[in-house]
Amino acid sequence: WVMPSWLAFAFPMILDVKTVVSESPIPPFNDGAEFEESVFLDSAPHAFRALVRRDRFRLDYILEGWTENGIQYPAPLNVLTAAYAIHLDVNARQGKSGYDASWGRFTELAKDFETSPLYVFSYLNRWVRSQSSETAPIKKIQLYAYHFYPCFDPYVEFESDLEQLIVKDEEKSSLNHPQKLTKLYRKFYRANKRYNPKANAVLKPIDVAANTILKAESSILQGNELVAVVAAEAFKLMDRVHASTAEGRWIMSKREEERQAVLDFAQYFVVEVFEKSFAGDRARLAGVQLNLIRDTCEFLYRLEDEKEDRAKDEQITGDSVGLHTDSQQWFTKYGEETKPNHVKTLTELYRKFYRANKRYNPKSNAVLKPIDIAADTILKAELSVFQGETLVAAVAAEVFKLMDRVHASTAEGRWMMSKREEERQAVLDFARYFVVEVFEKSFAGDRARLAGRQLNLIRDTCEFLYRLEDDKESRDRASTAAQIEDGKDSDADEKESRT
């Protein structure tokens, strides 16, 4: 069936004939006038039906594909040609007895491509592993991405002038998510090596995001809170990259812009990929589906790197277009929240009465002092004595002692309220929320969770949100100062004109 199937599609284009492929000793038709179509595959094996999707084909279907019930199908001659080329590239072997095409493994390949066209990049990765090399040559990546992939995904076409894959329908194309993820994380992160970096270095932001979701407790962290946790972990990676303690290169020197880019990436990964595409199923995030996205992102990254390197050689500069999310609308645009937004609420509550001394890039310990004091107080308290409101009062008392030292300039931090009775109420609100909503309800009063990874996720996320709010306040102050300066200039101009 391998050669007859391919010839069945090629002959009508070359010789202007109709073709029938059958295993039957009796011809299904006596004459071409007995069937309207140009190609008929009579009881083809499942591998071929999985690839070409039907038995009868009109002449225009062979190279253009067709649309049925709102679904677009790829051109069968292109599909078979690309599938044969990939199979021979990856599965064929040169053994002692000579060349072996291994057509017995073609059924597995056909089933994979029926599942998702992204398997094109998975098979390219298999070829790389068989060659015992770090990655494929750029010409091989271009062949698979630009010429083979569009044969299986009818919603994608290769624009040769731009050297870019164009997604025509974002909702239906499998390439949409990997392409956008790659664009988003390349804004703030690159692998250290410019030429042929290792796959793990290329895919660090993807891996950090996936691992964070897998380790996060789903009963507590959902929706916007999960976005914040992923963003916080990705930003910790960038902290280490800036400090040269982790593999990678930073792209943005302004940390507030970098924070926004990280947030855009986290939002897309959690909302569009994990919650919508994967339906919130962690098994898919830990299995084949994520590996398909990783393989695709890796080779798209390498193609973009190659284009950038070539552009530098030719001294061509250009602007990249990406997605942007307004941080002010972040917590409202997602939709209804299914769980209390603990990290956002905690950050808002303690920022009312406490700030770190340094306005720009303060240390983590300075940012998170109220959180750490509240957690330490609960861990050290005797729960047989301190529960409910008594525990709230104990936490509030310890936090207020911190504020006493801040007012006296004997502890790191800035106070925000000059009226101590208002400050006392703000501290009490924070303590009550931390004890009742976070410790007793979300953590079910379990100290082990308060001393473990779950609290660390909350700390990291609160720190990230704190810095986002600081960035916003800095921009607001700069905008106000500019408006005042403009007002002064206009007054001076008016006086001068009067004179």
Side-chain angles (χ1 to χ4, degrees):
W1 277 90
V2 174
M3 188 55 71
S5 297
W6 190 87
L7 292 175
F9 292 109
F11 280 164
M13 307 302 297
I14 302 170
L15 304 175
D16 193 24
V17 296
K18 291 184 177 182
T19 56
V20 176
V21 180
S22 175
E23 294 182 3
S24 172
I26 303 174
F29 305 102
N30 294 320
D31 189 87
E34 294 183 15
F35 65 103
E36 296 180 359
E37 296 82 3
S38 295
V39 178
F40 175 54
L41 303 181
D42 182 25
S43 302
H46 175 73
F48 296 92
R49 283 186 281 114
L51 288 172
V52 300
R53 305 301 178 95
R54 63 189 302 163
D55 298 327
R56 297 169 181 260
F57 303 86
R58 294 162 53 98
L59 185 63
D60 57 330
Y61 290 179
I62 295 176
L63 286 177
E64 296 176 12
W66 70 95
T67 302
E68 188 176 341
N69 297 326
I71 301 174
Q72 193 172 343
Y73 293 92
L77 182 57
N78 293 344
V79 168
L80 281 184
T81 304
Y84 290 177
I86 292 172
H87 170 80
L88 294 174
D89 213 15
V90 177
N91 293 328
R93 294 287 181 270
Q94 186 71 41
K96 293 181 179 178
S97 57
Y99 181 78
D100 180 11
S102 301
W103 287 111
R105 301 179 64 182
F106 185 69
T107 301
E108 178 190 352
L109 179 142
K111 289 179 179 178
D112 287 339
F113 286 139
E114 182 185 23
T115 304
S116 172
L118 295 182
Y119 269 100
V120 168
F121 300 100
S122 177
Y123 274 86
L124 177 55
N125 219 349
R126 293 188 193 183
W127 181 87
V128 171
R129 291 195 295 271
S130 71
Q131 304 299 309
S132 301
S133 60
E134 290 293 343
T135 187
I138 195 63
K139 293 294 184 184
K140 175 76 74 171
I141 299 175
Q142 290 172 339
L143 174 66
Y144 273 67
Y146 294 156
H147 302 290
F148 288 166
Y149 182 83
C151 294
F152 300 96
D153 190 341
Y155 303 105
V156 169
E157 62 181 20
F158 172 54
E159 183 61 56
S160 57
D161 293 338
L162 300 174
E163 282 194 63
Q164 188 175 350
L165 292 170
I166 306 297
V167 177
K168 297 183 290 185
D169 191 324
E170 293 186 352
E171 292 187 1
K172 294 181 179 178
S173 174
S174 301
L175 188 67
N176 183 44
H177 289 325
Q179 191 178 65
K180 285 189 175 177
L181 283 173
T182 307
K183 285 182 179 179
L184 286 170
Y185 83 75
R186 276 178 61 87
K187 287 183 179 181
F188 61 88
Y189 172 87
R190 304 289 170 84
N192 255 344
K193 289 178 65 178
R194 291 182 182 274
Y195 301 100
N196 298 331
K198 293 183 178 180
N200 288 341
V202 167
L203 297 167
K204 266 198 174 180
I206 301 284
D207 293 339
V208 166
N211 290 335
T212 301
I213 294 174
L214 290 173
K215 293 176 182 176
E217 190 159 338
S218 59
S219 61
I220 301 174
L221 300 170
Q222 291 185 2
N224 291 322
E225 286 200 324
L226 192 55
V227 173
V229 170
V230 171
E233 292 300 306
F235 198 73
K236 283 177 68 178
L237 164 67
M238 296 313 300
D239 282 339
R240 297 193 297 274
V241 169
H242 277 274
S244 300
T245 57
E247 161 76 25
R249 284 187 292 122
W250 51 266
I251 304 300
M252 297 176 168
S253 57
K254 294 183 179 180
R255 299 306 301 277
E256 60 271 16
E257 293 180 3
E258 183 180 67
R259 244 189 301 277
Q260 184 61 51
V262 169
L263 184 59
D264 292 343
F265 165 74
Q267 173 103 14
Y268 193 88
F269 191 96
V270 173
V271 178
E272 300 298 329
V273 178
F274 175 61
E275 295 187 342
K276 290 184 180 179
S277 182
F278 290 180
D281 186 355
R282 298 190 180 205
R284 295 169 68 184
L285 192 64
V288 173
Q289 297 300 317
L290 180 67
N291 287 335
L292 289 177
I293 288 179
R294 289 180 83 256
D295 291 341
T296 308
C297 285
E298 176 191 347
F299 292 115
L300 292 179
Y301 176 103
R302 296 185 190 280
L303 287 174
E304 289 300 314
D305 255 13
E306 191 273 336
K307 283 197 289 187
E308 281 189 2
D309 292 338
R310 189 153 25 96
K312 288 175 184 176
D313 293 340
E314 297 169 359
Q315 296 183 343
I316 297 175
T317 58
D319 296 325
S320 61
V321 178
L323 299 176
H324 181 70
T325 304
D326 186 354
S327 61
Q328 298 310 302
Q329 299 175 353
W330 174 42
F331 278 102
T332 57
K333 72 179 286 186
Y334 177 74
E336 293 185 4
E337 297 177 7
T338 56
K339 294 286 180 182
N341 212 323
H342 295 320
V343 287
K344 178 174 181 285
T345 305
L346 281 174
T347 309
E348 288 176 348
L349 286 173
Y350 83 76
R351 276 179 63 88
K352 289 181 180 179
F353 60 85
Y354 172 87
R355 304 288 172 85
N357 258 342
K358 289 179 65 177
R359 291 182 183 273
Y360 301 100
N361 296 328
K363 293 182 178 180
S364 298
N365 290 340
V367 167
L368 297 167
K369 268 197 175 181
I371 300 283
D372 292 340
I373 286 175
D376 289 342
T377 303
I378 295 174
L379 291 173
K380 293 175 182 176
E382 183 65 48
L383 289 189
S384 60
V385 179
F386 294 98
Q387 289 185 1
E389 284 300 313
T390 55
L391 188 57
V392 171
V395 170
E398 291 301 313
V399 175
F400 200 72
K401 283 181 183 178
L402 163 68
M403 297 313 299
D404 284 338
R405 298 194 297 275
V406 169
H407 278 274
S409 300
T410 58
E412 161 75 25
R414 286 184 292 125
W415 50 267
M416 305 305 295
M417 297 177 170
S418 57
K419 294 182 179 180
R420 299 305 301 276
E421 60 273 14
E422 292 180 3
E423 183 182 69
R424 195 174 283 107
Q425 184 59 50
V427 168
L428 186 59
D429 292 342
F430 165 76
R432 179 170 286 111
Y433 192 89
F434 192 95
V435 172
V436 176
E437 300 298 330
V438 178
F439 176 61
E440 293 183 346
K441 291 184 180 180
S442 291
F443 289 180
D446 185 354
R447 293 195 187 193
R449 293 165 71 183
L450 190 64
R453 178 173 175 78
Q454 295 305 315
L455 180 67
N456 288 336
L457 287 176
I458 287 179
R459 289 180 81 258
D460 294 343
T461 312
C462 283
E463 178 188 351
F464 184 79
L465 296 181
Y466 178 102
R467 296 184 189 278
L468 275 181
E469 287 301 311
D470 264 9
D471 293 343
K472 175 184 173 294
E473 288 184 358
S474 297
R475 289 195 300 269
D476 290 344
R477 282 195 297 269
S479 176
T480 303
Q483 289 174 3
I484 293 172
E485 193 64 32
D486 290 343
K488 289 179 180 179
D489 292 342
S490 63
D491 290 343
D493 292 342
E494 185 177 351
K495 287 180 181 178
E496 185 176 347
S497 64
R498 286 177 182 175
T499 304

